[in-house]
Amino acid sequence: MRWKNCADKIRIWKEEAEEGFCLFFCSQQKPRIADPGGSIYNREGTLRRKDGKSMKNRCKNEILKVICICLAAFIMALNIKSFVRTGGLYPGGATGLALLIQRIAEMFFGISLPYTLVNILLNAGPVYLGFRFIGRKFTMYSCLMILLTGFFTDIIPGYVITYDTLLISIFGGLINGAIISVCLMMNAT
């Protein structure tokens, strides 16, 4: 009799699964149906994720990620203004290329280009590739980081901490590496 009851439950669940839902079978718990996006609806209609966290916790995590990315963008801009430009250094990646293009435009053409404009133009290709192959959320967080870093770099005044190139490169590199690590932990670049 027990097997007949389970067979009936499985048959009912399969019929529900054919209506567009994936099925999770738990023998001791209440039956649950999950949508392909990863959320699980109990029979009572409570929405939970696969890992058991509620949607409220998910919103808190998203807000925390955005706050961390904003703080990282501010520290990155402060690093560019205090260490990188003071020492006349050019870091790797789009940041160093943007600073190099700015310096070339200033020295040879007498044009002062804003950092934000150059940085956005240089990051347009990688952002498109990230959207196509990595994902929308990763791309949105990366765009937030790129825009805020450019904005803060343009408005924060530069502070000279030291003129020693060795100290500037060591501490600038440490700060830059720490900020990039924070961004990667928050699913951004």
Side-chain angles (χ1 to χ4, degrees):
M1 179 134 180
R2 180 176 175 212
W3 290 106
K4 185 177 181 185
N5 190 11
C6 285
D8 289 338
K9 283 184 184 179
I10 290 173
R11 182 184 49 78
I12 292 169
W13 290 345
K14 283 183 180 178
E15 290 173 2
E16 290 175 352
E18 290 172 0
E19 294 175 6
F21 291 100
C22 297
L23 177 67
F24 288 100
F25 177 75
C26 298
S27 61
Q28 299 299 323
Q29 298 176 357
K30 292 183 179 178
R32 301 175 298 167
I33 298 174
D35 68 358
S39 300
I40 298 174
Y41 295 91
N42 290 340
R43 291 287 182 197
E44 293 82 26
T46 307
L47 180 63
R48 301 188 75 73
R49 290 186 355 196
K50 284 183 182 177
D51 57 2
K53 294 182 181 178
S54 67
M55 297 304 283
K56 187 176 181 180
N57 287 342
R58 186 175 178 191
C59 288
K60 284 181 184 178
N61 288 339
E62 298 298 321
I63 291 170
L64 180 66
K65 284 182 181 183
V66 169
I67 289 171
C68 285
I69 289 171
C70 292
L71 185 64
F74 180 77
I75 295 171
M76 177 79 85
L78 197 61
N79 183 35
I80 290 170
K81 291 296 259 192
S82 335
F83 290 107
V84 175
R85 284 195 178 162
T86 302
L89 302 174
Y90 300 103
T95 303
L97 198 54
L99 291 173
L100 185 63
I101 290 171
Q102 268 188 313
R103 185 83 43 106
I104 289 172
E106 233 175 81
M107 289 177 67
F108 295 114
F109 303 113
I111 301 170
S112 178
L113 294 175
Y115 177 80
T116 306
L117 175 69
V118 178
N119 196 24
I120 289 173
L121 290 176
L122 288 174
N123 281 305
V127 164
Y128 175 73
L129 290 175
F131 182 75
R132 292 278 300 178
F133 297 111
I134 297 175
R136 185 181 67 191
K137 206 177 258 191
F138 178 82
T139 305
M140 295 307 292
Y141 289 146
S142 297
C143 285
L144 179 66
M145 180 68 181
I146 291 165
L147 290 172
L148 286 178
T149 300
F151 175 72
F152 288 142
T153 302
D154 284 339
I155 64 168
I156 292 175
Y159 297 105
V160 177
I161 295 174
T162 182
Y163 289 105
D164 187 11
T165 308
L166 182 61
L167 286 175
I168 289 172
S169 61
I170 289 173
F171 285 108
L174 285 173
I175 293 171
N176 198 26
I179 294 305
I180 290 173
S181 298
V182 168
C183 288
L184 289 175
M185 283 190 289
M186 298 298 139
N187 272 347
T189 61

